[in-house]
Amino acid sequence: MFTLNPRGVGILLKGPAWDVVWTVVTSFLGLTALAGGVENWFLKKTTLYERVMLLAGGLMLVYPVALYDAIGVVLMGAVVVSQKMRKNLL
C-alpha cells in the first residue's frame, strides 16, 4: 500500500499510536473488502449489489478520512448482514 495523505503515514507505523492503529485497522478492512469485491466472494458468493458495495466500501476505507471510513464500514457491514440473511443456494 501507499499513501498520499499525511494522516496515512500510520500505515508505515509512524506517528501517534492511535493514528497508527486506526490506519492499520481501516486499511485491513478496506483491503479485505476490495479482495471480496474483486474475487466475487466474501463470506459466500456475492451478488452484483454486494460486489459493488464491497468495492465502494473498500476504496473508501483505504483513504484516511473519518467520513469515508464510516461509510466504508457501513457498506461492508451491509454486505455481511445481507450474506448472513441470504440462504446458501450452492
Side-chain angles (χ1 to χ4, degrees):
M1 278 186 66
F2 64 93
T3 182
L4 299 174
N5 189 309
R7 277 197 70 214
V9 297
I11 199 71
L12 302 173
L13 304 179
K14 295 181 180 179
W18 176 250
D19 284 345
V20 170
V21 170
W22 186 259
T23 304
V24 169
V25 168
T26 57
S27 297
F28 172 76
L29 290 174
L31 291 176
T32 303
L34 282 173
V38 170
E39 291 293 325
N40 199 23
W41 190 273
F42 195 60
L43 301 174
K44 55 179 83 170
K45 189 163 175 56
T46 60
T47 64
L48 177 63
Y49 298 115
E50 291 170 345
R51 193 172 189 184
V52 169
M53 286 192 296
L54 283 172
L55 290 171
L59 289 173
M60 288 186 177
L61 280 164
V62 170
Y63 195 74
V65 174
L67 176 63
Y68 295 164
D69 289 344
I71 294 170
V73 167
V74 167
L75 288 173
M76 197 171 173
V79 171
V80 169
V81 169
S82 171
Q83 290 199 343
K84 289 286 188 180
M85 291 179 64
R86 185 166 35 104
K87 292 194 185 278
N88 194 2
L89 301 175
L90 297 176

